[in-house]
Amino acid sequence: MLITKLVSFFALISTIALVGCNKSETPSLNDASELLVKIGASAPLTGPQAHIGKDNENGTRMAIDDANAKGITIGGKKVHFELLSEDDQTDPKTATIVAQKLVDAKVNGIIGHLNSGTTIPASRIYSDNGIPQISPSATAVAYTAQGYKTAFRVMANDAQQGKVLGEFATKSLAAKKIAVLDDRTAYGQGIADEFVKSAQAHGAKIITREYTTDKSIDFSAVLTSIKGKKPDLIFFGGMDPQGAPMVKQLRSLGMKTQFMMGDGGYTPKFIDNAGVAAEGAYASLPGVPLAKMPKGLDFAARYEARFKHPIQLYAPYCYDAVNVMIAAMQQAGSAEPAKYLPVLSKVIYDGVTAKLAFDEKGDLKGGAITLYQVRQGKWQAVETIAGIQP
Amino acid sequence: MDIFLQQIINGLVQGSVYALVALGYTMVYGILGLINFAHGEVVMVGAMIAFTLLQTLLAAAVSPVVAILLSLLVAIVLCMALGYGIERIAYRPLRNAPRLAPLITAIGMSIVLQNLAMMIWGREYHAFPMPLGNALHEVGGAIITDVQIGIVLVALLMMSGLMIVVHRTRMGRAMRAVAENPSAAVLMGVDINRVISSTFMLGSALAAVAGFMVSANYGIVHYYMGFMLGLKAFTAAVLGGIGNLRGAMLGGVLLGLIESLGAGYVGDLTGGFLGSNYQDVFAFFVLIAVLVFRPSGLLGERVAERA
């Protein structure tokens, strides 16, 4: 592996490399009696969060391949599903461009985007064109609060998550003085704000509120400044590319302070990259642990067998999002966005992450949230809090 | 007080890395009058090569000390080859072209290297294995790790080594001659191509060491890591006076200190109006301030513009 990597590096140097752009796959041959349904998906496939974005794409792809293998019919016609996957680069601007591209490609529905910061600006474009959108992972409250009929999500939002995290930090972990950091993205800021509200409501004091970006890896200065204020707990609203080096630098500064993140931290990569420093860190994830779901373990095993690595984060949610969309299409007897959209808001579907149903805003009804802690180098479920109302 | 000391340590560690990278910018500028914007990517490639080697060697149960030294050495050698290659491909054909042309190829080279690294090592963050030196030491209430002590020491060592090369060897004398007056140096029998190639190779060797040090400190490597580091180091070189070796070292350490003290105290000083997220802003504010008030930098000399 080493030799091939180095050789390929120098071989590539001497050639002019063409960095290819993403090409959507060509549709397979289908006869006239078969209905072609295009599912658009978007997540960052390049950049720091590419590993999570690729995981989303994998989850979506698995659901689509399963549906094709099952030979699903909609309104009496056999259906062939096709995935159009686009890279939004975690960038709000790029997200609107790929959203328009997917709309122009006449997709029947959208699974995405991954981040709240990209999902929110893109949601307007889908709404204007009447295309149902299910985000597997955008948790910012603002996403479904815009009043768009087309916006749905299969994950508890930040208000629900922040509430649980704040309560857990103050009650179960008995934190009195809390330092809060966020990465200034729609998600990071949103969940940190909700966490602050909840922690303060439960009597904790927020001693400092600091910020970073979703591209930084050096936090020594800010952590040192936090160290001087001696908090009981540090909460970081952000994703694992920052969370892992942050907790590592925290421990290098000799601080034993508890470290907590939202769903953005709950990845195997967080533990890989932070190493022993990850031990004891907390994160939350909407939903019940996969092991407790009837179809959860089976899904995880099939995912690993197919993609040769464990689920990173949101793949099960993407899988559910596709399936709930297909279920709505089947009930409506049509894959036309205008026809199945009204059904989607009423459909109830038994997924791998939860029993899915949407409220009038498009949020998940009564979603459960599970808190996890790194113990012996693995995320272990600590507590599941069920039925959190938004 | 211990917090202040901790920020000083943070700044010194960060500053040592900036200084090593800044030397690469300043050496090339001194000789060619060119900003080698691909230099930050050389740092990244050095880190990536060291990461791959270190991972492989450790997996093969090689002793940690040998693994670290060997991967560092290979990273240095390969980065020197890369530096040589960059100069041959992107700069030498444009030696007599207008100044803008090599600047554009420099930026192009940087993008090419970044994308190649992305294709080879993938898009995700990798954990940089560091089997040694994670022990913490307490100095007057502040904490420093072995790795950080190592960074400062190695940086000092590399910098003194460079000063010896530049001031005590034949090649160093040739470098200084070319920097002073290229055409006169040619007339005196200096092989200018060899001098320029060695400059690039020396700078790239320092970059490889810097890449190894940053990755060991943060425990993480990523194909994008060279970009910001390169910009900061460039700022450090300008701060110290671009083209001046001592200036680059001073500029690097100063910039590290400014950043860490700035980011550490701005929140308290402005009552939370500005936060530590302005860390990067400090560096670039320094760049603007230097360019406006003292374009030749702290140690740079005001030289008459050559026609």
Side-chain angles (χ1 to χ4, degrees):
Chain A
M1 183 185 95
L2 163 72
I3 299 299
T4 44
K5 271 193 177 170
L6 295 180
V7 166
S8 65
F9 180 71
F10 284 96
L12 279 167
I13 292 247
S14 56
T15 57
I16 293 167
L18 289 172
V19 181
C21 40
N22 283 352
K23 288 227 172 63
S24 38
E25 282 141 44
T26 46
S28 58
L29 293 169
N30 38 290
D31 50 85
S33 67
E34 220 182 41
L35 184 68
L36 180 69
V37 174
K38 292 180 186 168
I39 305 279
S42 185
L45 302 175
T46 53
Q49 293 175 26
H51 59 292
I52 310 177
K54 191 71 195 163
D55 187 55
N56 274 24
E57 193 193 83
N58 289 345
T60 310
R61 190 178 296 280
M62 240 176 101
I64 285 176
D65 291 354
D66 284 1
N68 281 334
K70 261 188 257 167
I72 280 177
T73 56
I74 291 176
K77 267 190 165 178
K78 200 171 170 314
V79 182
H80 180 81
F81 292 96
E82 191 199 330
L83 173 65
L84 301 181
S85 177
E86 291 289 341
D87 177 12
D88 68 21
Q89 301 169 8
T90 20
D91 176 36
K93 266 202 313 287
T94 314
T96 57
I97 296 169
V98 302
Q100 191 58 51
K101 199 171 156 192
L102 289 169
V103 167
D104 292 346
K106 305 235 174 323
V107 293
N108 299 69
I110 299 282
I111 306 300
H113 299 206
L114 190 155
N115 309 84
S116 299
T118 50
T119 305
I120 295 168
S123 64
R124 216 199 86 179
I125 294 171
Y126 301 131
S127 167
D128 287 351
N129 292 282
I131 297 176
Q133 171 192 16
I134 306 180
S135 173
S137 50
T139 50
V141 177
Y143 167 50
T144 51
Q146 304 172 99
Y148 295 153
K149 293 257 172 303
T150 49
F152 296 89
R153 64 175 134 218
V154 290
M155 177 170 274
N157 67 23
D158 289 339
Q160 296 161 292
Q161 242 190 118
K163 198 169 147 190
V164 170
L165 284 164
E167 203 173 311
F168 184 78
T170 43
K171 281 193 178 158
S172 305
L173 303 179
K176 297 265 176 301
K177 294 192 292 177
I178 300 177
V180 178
L181 271 142
D182 74 62
D183 66 1
R184 301 266 89 178
T185 62
Y187 161 70
Q189 204 174 336
I191 195 162
D193 285 345
E194 296 297 336
F195 173 85
V196 166
K197 264 193 242 166
S198 162
Q200 279 174 337
H202 289 92
K205 203 170 162 248
I206 306 301
I207 50 171
T208 179
R209 184 79 198 262
E210 291 281 358
Y211 310 99
T212 176
T213 73
D214 59 350
K215 305 218 163 40
S216 310
I217 54 162
D218 175 37
F219 310 103
S220 51
V222 54
L223 289 174
T224 303
S225 142
I226 287 177
K227 186 183 181 185
K229 298 180 173 112
K230 301 195 173 48
D232 304 322
L233 183 136
I234 294 176
F235 179 83
F236 173 55
M239 305 295 287
D240 68 349
Q242 280 67 47
M246 188 180 288
V247 74
K248 205 174 157 113
Q249 286 164 44
L250 184 72
R251 301 299 175 231
S252 301
L253 284 168
M255 292 166 75
K256 301 207 164 51
T257 320
Q258 307 256 33
F259 185 79
M260 185 185 253
M261 285 179 72
D263 51 313
Y266 178 74
T267 62
K269 199 90 199 161
F270 174 82
I271 302 175
D272 285 353
N273 286 355
V276 285
E279 204 62 28
Y282 291 94
S284 63
L285 187 67
V288 176
L290 270 188
K292 296 224 173 97
M293 291 304 296
K295 291 179 267 176
L297 282 182
D298 170 54
F299 173 77
R302 284 199 301 133
Y303 182 98
E304 277 199 54
R306 169 146 185 206
F307 299 107
K308 309 285 177 255
H309 61 80
I311 293 168
Q312 285 293 325
L313 188 50
Y314 303 123
Y317 297 86
C318 296
Y319 186 81
D320 274 359
V322 177
N323 281 317
V324 74
M325 189 176 269
I326 293 177
M329 288 174 180
Q330 283 183 299
Q331 272 189 31
S334 167
E336 284 296 311
K339 297 221 175 92
Y340 82 87
L341 180 60
V343 181
L344 184 57
S345 53
K346 290 187 205 80
V347 81
I348 295 173
Y349 177 79
D350 225 352
V352 297
T353 58
K355 201 177 180 89
L356 304 170
F358 302 108
D359 68 8
E360 66 284 357
K361 282 193 298 189
D363 278 331
L364 192 63
K365 257 188 201 162
I369 289 168
T370 306
L371 283 148
Y372 296 84
Q373 186 182 27
V374 182
R375 288 178 187 162
Q376 277 116 36
K378 274 209 175 78
W379 284 112
Q380 313 259 357
V382 179
E383 200 181 329
T384 299
I385 296 154
I388 322 289
Q389 291 311 318
Chain B
M1 189 59 208
D2 51 340
I3 295 303
F4 179 72
L5 190 63
Q6 186 72 58
Q7 295 290 21
I8 297 277
I9 290 177
N10 295 343
L12 278 179
V13 172
Q14 191 68 25
S16 311
V17 175
Y18 288 160
L20 275 193
V21 185
L23 281 170
Y25 280 99
T26 235
M27 276 160 55
V28 168
Y29 185 87
I31 287 181
L32 280 180
L34 158 83
I35 311 286
N36 175 16
F37 273 113
H39 193 60
E41 294 349 300
V42 179
V43 177
M44 176 271 294
V45 170
M48 286 295 192
I49 291 173
F51 152 71
T52 308
L53 270 160
L54 203 51
Q55 205 182 36
T56 317
L57 289 175
L58 289 174
V62 177
S63 92
V65 183
V66 178
I68 289 174
L69 289 178
L70 198 63
S71 50
L72 183 58
L73 197 72
V74 174
I76 291 175
V77 172
L78 291 184
C79 277
M80 285 169 85
L82 179 62
Y84 176 79
I86 291 176
E87 196 266 331
R88 279 308 288 263
I89 295 168
Y91 306 137
R92 193 172 294 184
L94 296 171
R95 181 107 19 106
N96 298 315
R99 280 192 148 188
L100 197 56
L103 189 70
I104 293 170
T105 52
I107 294 169
M109 204 67 213
S110 157
I111 295 172
V112 167
L113 287 175
Q114 241 181 55
N115 281 287
L116 286 178
M118 188 182 90
M119 288 157 78
I120 296 165
W121 284 284
R123 298 146 172 172
E124 68 261 39
Y125 283 79
H126 297 285
F128 190 86
M130 200 61 211
L132 290 178
N134 293 313
L136 308 180
H137 303 283
E138 206 182 314
V139 187
I143 306 286
I144 187 162
T145 63
D146 284 335
V147 171
Q148 291 170 332
I149 297 174
I151 288 176
V152 178
L153 289 182
V154 170
L156 281 176
L157 201 73
M158 298 298 290
M159 290 192 268
S160 358
L162 183 71
M163 291 315 267
I164 292 171
V165 169
V166 171
H167 289 283
R168 296 265 186 280
T169 65
R170 262 181 85 83
M171 181 46 79
R173 198 189 307 158
M175 282 178 181
R176 282 178 290 142
V178 174
E180 199 144 305
N181 190 335
S183 21
V186 173
L187 291 176
M188 295 299 124
V190 175
D191 181 350
I192 193 161
N193 280 337
R194 238 188 96 213
V195 171
I196 290 172
S197 289
S198 347
T199 308
F200 270 87
M201 285 160 76
L202 261 181
S204 303
L206 296 179
V209 176
F212 188 95
M213 298 193 319
V214 202
S215 321
N217 192 24
Y218 296 134
I220 252 176
V221 284
H222 187 236
Y223 76 89
Y224 201 64
M225 65 188 274
F227 179 72
M228 193 44 113
L229 185 64
L231 275 185
K232 297 276 183 72
F234 169 66
T235 306
V238 172
L239 172 63
I242 194 148
N244 183 315
L245 293 184
R246 285 195 185 81
M249 300 177 202
L250 178 72
V253 174
L254 268 182
L255 191 71
L257 288 173
I258 291 172
E259 262 192 32
S260 99
L261 290 175
Y265 287 101
V266 70
D268 296 342
L269 289 179
T270 59
F273 177 65
L274 297 175
S276 52
N277 49 328
Y278 284 81
Q279 183 165 3
D280 294 343
V281 176
F282 286 108
F284 300 123
F285 183 73
V286 165
L287 179 63
I288 294 170
V290 170
L291 288 177
V292 170
F293 295 108
R294 200 180 155 81
S296 51
L298 294 176
L299 299 186
E301 287 152 35
R302 200 170 280 275
V303 276
E305 196 68 30
R306 274 198 298 258

